[in-house]
Amino acid sequence: MKKSNQQLTTIKTLFLGLMVLILTSFSEVAAQNDPVRLGFIPLTDCSPIVMAKELGLFKKYGVEVVVTKESSWANIRDKVLTGELDGAHCLYSMPFSVYTGVGGKAGSEMMIAMMLNVNGQAITLSNDFCGKVGFKQMNKVTPVVAAKLKAEKEVTFAMTFPGGTHDLWLRNWMSIAGLNQKAVKIITIPPPQMVANMKVGNMDGYCVGEPWGGVAVKQGIGFTQIASQDIWKDHPEKALVVNKEFSEKRRTDLVKVMKAIMEACIWLDNPANRKKAAAIIGKAPYVNAPADVIENRLMGNYDLGCNQGTEVYSNDYMLFHKGGMVNYPRKSYAIWAMAQYVRFGYLKEAPNYKAIADKLILQDLYEEVAKSMKVKVPNDDMKPFSLTMDKTVFDPNNPAAYLKVVKR
């Protein structure tokens, strides 16, 4: 009888295990049939995701994708972390900001699958500064700001997310211009709300992606003081960031999504396609901004405002592929971003740079996708580099040495 009971228990255990396995398999199959949900913020550099949808590239690679407009980067963060979004167009530095506790709950993991673009952001100043400081006149910024502070008027600049790319370009611009960052106020405003806030006088300047720099010029409320590519040519900007569980359980779908977006990036880098792209992403469901402003800055033609004329960028405007140089997610750039958090006082101590970059960047997956599409994988990761305007050398293998000499 005892032996019979043991056999019965064993059979029950095996049966329950089999049922769990079957239910898990059914669950995974059902998940594979769910559409992939990708979010974006209304910015020109959401183009790879939008155009992959509009050109039918997701369908070409056999994956159903729902694309949704989100209200802010914080909204993107929360939805990616909870799985409400499987992935999103995202500030490349946001996963590191969130993980280190600068812009979210420390230890929260958002995964970088690939990069979407370089360049194409700008620092816009209010027309109150018009005639006092012009395009790339960095040495004139400090006296103008100092004069306003001396008049006992608060100087306010805006960016879009703590530790995000716009925050880093703004702070690097201030450092290069010699501004005391503790003397000014820095606020967080979602990208589409920048122009409206400038119009009512809520800030003196802001850093954000296009088209909101160009829109300020078109509306006559601000002018371009500098483009981000002047600070750092071909700097990393937006990335495809995905939910961790999605990257693990739906790897096949993620690969399909990445292939579609890669093809869209290649398509976007053909100048002949940019007029069509501008017309599409300018529509209300996407960026909801004048197509001519989007197109001009996509083509590298910058009306600077403030009677400064036009600046033409020929090889350092917004780029989406550049033979694979753009899309590769470099760990060295992740380490640079985290070093800025230490530099500018967000973090009191240096994080474990390399371990965090290794954890959050799906570099092996990217290399697999790139090779399957015959896209060249760069071999420059983890090599020293310098920004265009700040010539200080950054060695990703030794951030501490950089922090000893860099300006705050």
Side-chain angles (χ1 to χ4, degrees), residues 167-230:
D167 187 16
L168 300 184
W169 312 145
L170 176 66
R171 292 178 186 276
N172 272 268
W173 170 78
M174 293 173 68
S175 177
I176 294 166
L179 290 178
N180 180 353
Q181 301 192 25
K182 294 181 179 179
V184 301
K185 184 178 181 181
I186 299 178
I187 60 175
T188 302
I189 300 288
Q193 298 177 24
M194 288 291 190
V195 176
N197 276 273
M198 178 83 88
K199 189 177 292 184
V200 297
N202 285 345
M203 64 262 204
D204 299 283
Y206 60 78
C207 182
V208 74
E210 297 301 341
W212 306 116
V215 170
V217 172
K218 186 179 179 71
Q219 293 188 8
I221 62 169
F223 64 94
T224 300
Q225 204 283 313
I226 197 168
S228 56
Q229 54 264 37
D230 293 311

Side-chain angles (χ1 to χ4, degrees), residues 15-33:
F15 177 76
L16 288 172
L18 180 62
M19 289 301 296
V20 169
L21 181 62
I22 291 171
L23 290 172
T24 301
S25 298
F26 275 131
S27 177
E28 289 179 354
V29 169
Q32 292 294 335
N33 292 327

Side-chain angles (χ1 to χ4, degrees), residues 115 324-326 328-334 361 363 378 380-381:
M115 297 297 297
M325 293 299 292
V326 170
Y328 184 49
R330 292 168 176 83
K331 295 178 181 180
S332 56
Y333 293 168
I361 298 177
Q363 204 171 74
D380 60 352
D381 198 9

Side-chain angles (χ1 to χ4, degrees), residues 109-310:
E109 297 179 33
M110 303 168 71
M111 317 304 289
I112 293 182
M114 64 183 291
M115 297 297 297
L116 299 179
N117 75 293
V118 297
N119 305 325
Q121 320 301 296
I123 290 176
T124 300
L125 295 182
S126 162
N127 275 345
D128 290 343
F129 290 88
C130 185
K132 300 174 184 176
V133 55
F135 182 62
K136 290 198 281 191
Q137 291 181 329
M138 303 298 286
N139 62 326
K140 293 189 177 181
V141 174
T142 302
V144 172
V145 171
K148 186 166 185 178
L149 289 170
K150 190 175 181 180
E152 297 182 357
K153 294 181 181 179
E154 187 174 61
V155 175
T156 301
F157 294 126
M159 49 78 182
T160 61
F161 188 85
T165 55
H166 303 131
D167 187 16
L168 300 184
W169 312 145
L170 176 66
R171 292 178 186 276
N172 272 268
W173 170 78
M174 293 173 68
S175 177
I176 294 166
L179 290 178
N180 180 353
Q181 301 192 25
K182 294 181 179 179
V184 301
K185 184 178 181 181
I186 299 178
I187 60 175
T188 302
I189 300 288
Q193 298 177 24
M194 288 291 190
V195 176
N197 276 273
M198 178 83 88
K199 189 177 292 184
V200 297
N202 285 345
M203 64 262 204
D204 299 283
Y206 60 78
C207 182
V208 74
E210 297 301 341
W212 306 116
V215 170
V217 172
K218 186 179 179 71
Q219 293 188 8
I221 62 169
F223 64 94
T224 300
Q225 204 283 313
I226 197 168
S228 56
Q229 54 264 37
D230 293 311
I231 298 172
W232 180 3
K233 180 181 177 181
D234 290 347
H235 66 77
E237 185 49 44
K238 301 302 189 301
L240 173 64
V241 171
V242 296
N243 171 271
K244 183 182 180 182
E245 185 176 357
F246 171 75
S247 72
E248 295 171 343
K249 294 188 176 179
R250 298 184 64 181
R251 179 187 172 94
T252 300
D253 282 340
L254 177 54
V255 166
K256 293 175 181 178
V257 166
M258 291 170 68
K259 287 181 177 180
I261 291 174
M262 181 81 80
E263 188 167 329
C265 287
I266 294 169
W267 183 89
L268 282 161
D269 262 9
N270 182 345
N273 294 328
R274 294 202 168 192
K275 185 179 184 71
K276 179 179 179 179
I280 291 172
I281 67 172
K283 294 178 180 178
Y286 298 127
V287 178
N288 194 25
D292 61 329
V293 174
I294 296 173
E295 180 186 347
N296 284 335
R297 296 214 167 185
L298 262 179
M299 297 301 290
N301 300 320
Y302 282 50
D303 176 2
L304 301 173
C306 190
N307 301 313
Q308 297 181 109
T310 300

Side-chain angles (χ1 to χ4, degrees), residues 1-14:
M1 178 69 73
K2 185 176 181 181
K3 186 175 181 181
S4 177
N5 288 338
Q6 287 176 340
Q7 289 175 334
L8 184 61
T9 300
T10 301
I11 292 171
K12 285 181 178 179
T13 302
L14 290 172

